[in-house]
Amino acid sequence: MNPSPTLSVTEITSARLRLRKALDRDREGLIELQTDPQVRLYLGGPRPRSAVEQYLDAIGTTSVTNSPGTFVIADKRTDRLFGTLMIDRRSADLPGHVTEEGGELELTYLLRHEAWGAGLAFEAATAALRAAADELPDQPVLVVTQTANERSLKLATRLGFQRISTFEAHDAEQTLAAANLHSFQA
């Protein structure tokens, strides 16, 4: 598997959402994602607001989504930021792979707490995975989450990911789940 191809589209739409590149007006929403204790519960806890602000000042808010496959999840009607989503390559240096060489596609997402429970993560992930399935050759795609994060594990199962294994990282048990990319073709 060639680890270099990633999703190249810069915008994806679904019934309620638009996955797009970050805009300057997304700054407060991006800060909230990184500083909210509920959102960051399984991600090492909230980051200090000053550190997030300094980071955004240094790179620029719009640079947050410069990498291919990295999106802001926004309301299709109002364009308000709900969260972020990324389909990227999982570094071979990290634990949790289904191939010997690593570098598989990995789905990650983060939603503002107010957006939980409305099916937005499922809708955003489905749209992004369908776009990737249309563009890239069939290959494994991974989800890695803390085993304690039951909501995330339920979403992965609902999307069609199968639990493969668990491993220890960041002082917690992590669950690795995988699916074949082309299973998401519409």
Side-chain angles (χ1 to χ4, degrees):
M1 171 176 67
N2 179 356
S4 60
T6 56
L7 187 58
S8 67
V9 297
T10 57
E11 184 169 300
I12 303 167
T13 59
S14 65
R16 299 178 290 169
L17 303 173
R18 184 164 72 111
L19 280 63
R20 59 164 171 78
K21 295 302 178 182
L23 304 170
D24 286 331
R25 69 175 178 257
D26 296 324
R27 181 180 172 91
E28 281 305 311
L30 292 168
I31 291 170
E32 181 184 320
L33 282 172
Q34 296 300 315
T35 59
D36 185 314
Q38 290 179 294
V39 171
R40 302 265 320 155
L41 180 63
Y42 300 105
L43 298 169
R47 295 184 173 147
R49 182 178 179 94
S50 61
V52 177
E53 288 173 340
Q54 287 174 358
Y55 172 76
L56 291 175
D57 289 344
I59 69 159
T61 301
T62 60
S63 295
V64 170
T65 55
N66 276 355
S67 297
T70 304
F71 304 94
V72 160
I73 304 167
D75 183 285
K76 192 174 182 179
R77 188 177 47 79
T78 66
D79 207 32
R80 185 170 188 273
L81 180 140
F82 286 136
T84 58
L85 179 141
M86 190 166 48
I87 295 180
D88 197 8
R89 297 285 169 184
R90 183 163 179 84
S91 172
D93 298 340
L94 296 173
H97 294 279
V98 294
T99 64
E100 278 191 31
E101 64 273 10
E104 303 94 336
L105 289 173
E106 180 181 17
L107 170 69
T108 59
Y109 63 89
L110 201 56
L111 281 172
R112 293 168 101 165
H113 185 254
E114 69 186 47
W116 292 5
L120 299 176
F122 178 82
E123 186 174 330
T126 298
L129 289 163
R130 284 183 178 162
D134 288 344
E135 182 180 330
L136 301 171
D138 195 22
Q139 59 195 288
V141 60
L142 309 177
V143 169
V144 176
T145 189
Q146 270 193 31
T147 303
N149 189 346
E150 294 177 10
R151 293 175 67 104
S152 187
L153 289 173
K154 285 179 186 176
L155 175 60
T157 299
R158 186 171 170 218
L159 287 165
F161 286 82
Q162 301 293 315
R163 292 183 194 201
I164 303 297
S165 63
T166 60
F167 59 92
E168 288 291 318
H170 311 292
D171 298 321
E173 183 181 84
Q174 309 291 320
T175 295
L176 168 66
N180 289 325
L181 183 60
H182 282 184
S183 68
F184 298 101
Q185 286 182 313

